[in-house]
Amino acid sequence: MAAKSDGRGVVTGFAQLHNLDEAVGSCEDDPRQGSSFHICHCCNTSSCYWGCRSACLHYLLGKGRDVRRPPHEERLWLDCLWIVLALLVFFWDVGTDLWLALDYYVKQDYLWFGLTLFFVLVPSVLVQILSFRWFVQDYTGGGLGSVEGLSSGRRATSPGVYARARCCRLSVWVWQTLIHILQMGQVWRYIRTMYLGIQSRRQKENQRRFYWAMMYEYADVNMLRLLETFLESAPQLVLQLCIMIQKNRAETLQCVSAVASLLSLSWVLASYHKLLRDSRDDQKSMSYRGALVHLLWRFFTISSRALSFALFASVFHIYFGIFVVLHWCAMAFWVIHGGTDFCMSKWEEVLFNMVVGVVYVFCWFNVKEGRTRFRMVVYYSLVLVENTILTALWYAYRDPVTTDSYAASALCGVFLCFASGVACMVLYYGVLHPMGPRLRVLASSCCAELLWGLPLPPEAEPMAPTPGPRGSQATPTRGMASGDYGESEEAATDTCLPVFQVRSTEPTDAAGRPIPPEGPLIKIDMPRKRYPAWDAHFVDRRLRRTINILQYISPNAVGIRYRDGPLLYELLQYESSL
């Protein structure tokens, strides 16, 4: 779900403003008056970035260069579809597991019935407890519920109005309690996310309030789903594969349950990383095609991992448990040694690193800022070696009488799935990554950037030109006259410099005067967490309550400003040297 905000009234994605041009600077009359000024050396046009793709395509098709920017397309239906599909995957995963547990009970396979039901109920109960705890923290202790009560108390002119407000708050508590007892907390959060996202597009007066509520709700449900899938879907997948191998037959319901668990794992990982990028205004959003390739990458790599686990566990029961514990300890130590910054306290960070160690048993999960190429090569090399050893041991100690029928297919499945997953990973990072194409053979010009890459949002940082044979050529700026383009038309056809943007550091009006912030500004006395960590106002419930309160009592947008970490470090270093 693409949703971004800079605290000044500009939102893109699910909560995108309908009058985006008015928010970032209108470009219809004069394209150089906008805050996002774009120059393309292929079609030789200057316009807002959102219109350059259409201009370049019309130029390539020979339809001329004087093409006006089309209106920004509505993507609300695509965001809603993403949430609806997430709900369907959730119901498919849990429903097939419960149906399979009932089938084991009818067939009097009580051991498999107990294990299957255990991996469904225990993670679900734990996640519901955590979800209800988050609701209590958000709604009480100075949260939005208290603000609503105070506001209702101010407007209360009779005991009947006050009693009605208390009845509404009581109904919220009853509803939330009932929802979590029925193990439907995540479903309700998905539905509420979609409702808040739709309202953020339709409600003009309270748009920012709905936007913040939507982002917080969607972040919570993705964190909960990530925890549940690796406590429920991952063990369930290995268990069902192990049962099929031991019984030397695969029933239809078992296959459906395994595919559902595998798809749930892949979907949650892709959705989590997409939302994490969308929630940070210092990162470019992930496109839906990028999320789809990301999903395929996870689907194939986890398939290879789970299949090798099941093959090894079908022969070596105790040694498989020892292997998983050792791998988890090594991965948890690696994550702790790398130093992460996800949580607000030290002990929460250690607990989070231990959970990430469980994730690393099955797949790669980025938790540290910086180039991940070396770490990913090390991890996937280790995974390939482990998968090879596990499948080789299974092949050496298996029972040939019962396994010859599928032994070759199982070995091919392990390595073909791993190779397919790595290929999808290379495709994602090389072509569809939000930072832009890494495979320059597919992006040798700005039109190739537009066709293969992801368009930058207006609030993105300027892009530096790619060095080339004519990279030292002077680049046009905002101050160029319109006649200058005609003089450099022949030079523009020889080379194709990349697209760049010129963006003022502070928003200004038509007269050039700086525009002050619309609403209150929250100054957080701590450095901003580095990507891929969540911002502090997403993981700290106290900051959430503060933002919700200000959004409720203030008609304007609430800005957030973190302490400048590098500047503070330089200041302390200078003071210590005096």
Side-chain angles (χ1 to χ4, degrees), residues 366-545:
N366 186 26
V367 292
K368 188 179 180 181
E369 184 193 25
R371 292 185 176 273
T372 59
R373 185 179 305 169
F374 175 74
R375 285 176 284 159
M376 293 180 70
V377 168
V378 172
Y379 176 80
Y380 279 111
S381 299
L382 177 63
V383 167
L384 179 59
V385 171
E386 289 180 348
N387 290 351
T388 304
I389 294 176
L390 295 178
T391 51
L393 290 175
W394 168 80
Y395 191 83
Y397 290 93
R398 65 188 175 90
D399 185 6
V401 177
T402 59
T403 60
D404 279 342
S405 59
Y406 61 86
S409 301
L411 292 178
C412 293
V414 170
F415 295 104
L416 286 179
C417 287
F418 184 83
S420 300
V422 172
C424 291
M425 179 186 67
V426 173
L427 177 63
Y428 170 73
Y429 280 103
V431 178
L432 299 173
H433 194 271
M435 295 300 294
R438 300 298 197 271
L439 302 178
R440 289 301 166 187
V441 67
L442 297 177
S444 58
S445 65
C446 76
C447 288
E449 293 270 359
L450 293 171
L451 292 173
W452 288 96
L454 182 69
L456 292 176
E459 65 271 18
E461 293 295 331
M463 293 177 59
T466 303
R470 305 191 57 176
S472 59
Q473 180 180 354
T475 308
T477 59
R478 186 191 293 261
M480 290 184 60
S482 59
D484 296 337
Y485 291 108
E487 298 176 0
S488 60
E489 181 176 357
E490 296 180 358
T493 58
D494 297 336
T495 181
C496 189
L497 297 178
V499 175
F500 76 101
Q501 289 177 303
V502 178
R503 175 177 177 263
S504 58
T505 57
E506 188 174 7
T508 57
D509 55 12
R513 294 186 299 269
I515 301 176
E518 297 180 3
L521 181 66
I522 301 176
K523 295 183 179 180
I524 303 176
D525 190 21
M526 65 177 65
R528 188 175 188 180
K529 290 180 177 294
R530 296 182 176 182
Y531 180 82
W534 292 90
D535 284 325
H537 58 274
F538 275 89
V539 296
D540 192 338
R541 320 301 290 197
R542 297 170 298 176
L543 291 176
R544 283 196 183 193
R545 290 198 297 265

Side-chain angles (χ1 to χ4, degrees), residues 192-208:
R192 189 166 182 267
T193 298
M194 188 162 52
Y195 166 76
L196 293 171
I198 295 174
Q199 292 301 316
S200 68
R201 298 295 299 268
R202 296 180 177 177
Q203 297 288 339
K204 294 296 184 180
E205 297 180 358
N206 302 320
Q207 190 171 35
R208 184 66 54 161

Side-chain angles (χ1 to χ4, degrees), residues 238-250:
V238 177
L239 174 64
Q240 301 308 322
L241 290 176
C242 184
I243 294 174
M244 286 186 281
I245 293 173
Q246 278 196 347
K247 291 187 174 182
N248 198 23
R249 70 175 186 274

Side-chain angles (χ1 to χ4, degrees), residues 180-423:
H180 286 85
I181 290 176
L182 296 177
Q183 308 297 302
M184 300 289 286
Q186 298 173 77
V187 177
W188 171 250
R189 287 182 180 271
Y190 270 126
I191 296 175
R192 189 166 182 267
T193 298
M194 188 162 52
Y195 166 76
L196 293 171
I198 295 174
Q199 292 301 316
S200 68
R201 298 295 299 268
R202 296 180 177 177
Q203 297 288 339
K204 294 296 184 180
E205 297 180 358
N206 302 320
Q207 190 171 35
R208 184 66 54 161
R209 189 185 306 169
F210 282 108
Y211 164 77
W212 280 107
M214 181 268 297
M215 287 301 298
Y216 287 151
E217 196 70 55
Y218 200 40
D220 283 344
V221 71
N222 272 272
M223 294 178 190
L224 293 172
R225 284 288 291 144
L226 183 68
L227 177 62
E228 185 190 29
T229 49
F230 281 94
L231 291 178
E232 186 264 329
S233 299
Q236 195 76 255
L237 175 61
V238 177
L239 174 64
Q240 301 308 322
L241 290 176
C242 184
I243 294 174
M244 286 186 281
I245 293 173
Q246 278 196 347
K247 291 187 174 182
N248 198 23
R249 70 175 186 274
E251 299 180 357
T252 303
L253 189 55
Q254 290 175 331
C255 296
V256 171
S257 176
V259 171
S261 299
L262 183 59
L263 182 60
S264 181
L265 286 166
S266 308
W267 188 283
V268 168
L269 285 169
S271 180
Y272 176 87
H273 285 287
K274 176 173 172 53
L275 175 64
L276 181 58
R277 277 193 164 272
D278 293 343
S279 67
R280 297 184 61 105
D281 55 7
D282 60 338
Q283 298 292 323
K284 302 182 183 73
S285 299
M286 183 190 297
S287 64
Y288 280 104
R289 58 180 177 178
L292 180 60
V293 176
H294 192 281
L295 186 147
L296 294 176
W297 159 28
R298 302 294 189 175
F299 185 89
F300 286 117
T301 53
I302 297 176
S303 299
S304 174
R305 190 68 166 166
L307 184 57
S308 63
F309 281 175
L311 293 174
F312 184 77
S314 63
V315 178
F316 304 96
H317 306 286
I318 299 178
Y319 292 106
F320 172 71
I322 296 175
F323 164 77
V324 170
V325 171
L326 291 177
H327 184 88
W328 169 75
C329 292
M331 293 295 103
F333 176 78
W334 187 31
V335 174
I336 294 174
H337 179 72
T340 58
D341 189 24
F342 272 73
C343 303
M344 304 304 297
S345 65
K346 179 181 178 181
W347 296 111
E348 289 180 348
E349 195 72 31
V350 173
L351 181 61
F352 171 79
N353 292 334
M354 295 174 67
V355 175
V356 172
V358 177
V359 179
Y360 271 119
V361 173
F362 293 91
C363 64
W364 164 261
F365 191 76
N366 186 26
V367 292
K368 188 179 180 181
E369 184 193 25
R371 292 185 176 273
T372 59
R373 185 179 305 169
F374 175 74
R375 285 176 284 159
M376 293 180 70
V377 168
V378 172
Y379 176 80
Y380 279 111
S381 299
L382 177 63
V383 167
L384 179 59
V385 171
E386 289 180 348
N387 290 351
T388 304
I389 294 176
L390 295 178
T391 51
L393 290 175
W394 168 80
Y395 191 83
Y397 290 93
R398 65 188 175 90
D399 185 6
V401 177
T402 59
T403 60
D404 279 342
S405 59
Y406 61 86
S409 301
L411 292 178
C412 293
V414 170
F415 295 104
L416 286 179
C417 287
F418 184 83
S420 300
V422 172

Side-chain angles (χ1 to χ4, degrees), residues 39-67:
I39 298 175
C40 178
H41 294 275
C42 282
C43 51
N44 200 19
T45 59
S46 59
S47 62
C48 285
Y49 192 89
W50 301 111
C52 185
R53 179 188 293 260
S54 176
C56 284
L57 291 178
H58 279 276
Y59 175 78
L60 294 176
L61 294 176
K63 296 184 179 180
R65 299 188 180 115
D66 297 329
V67 181

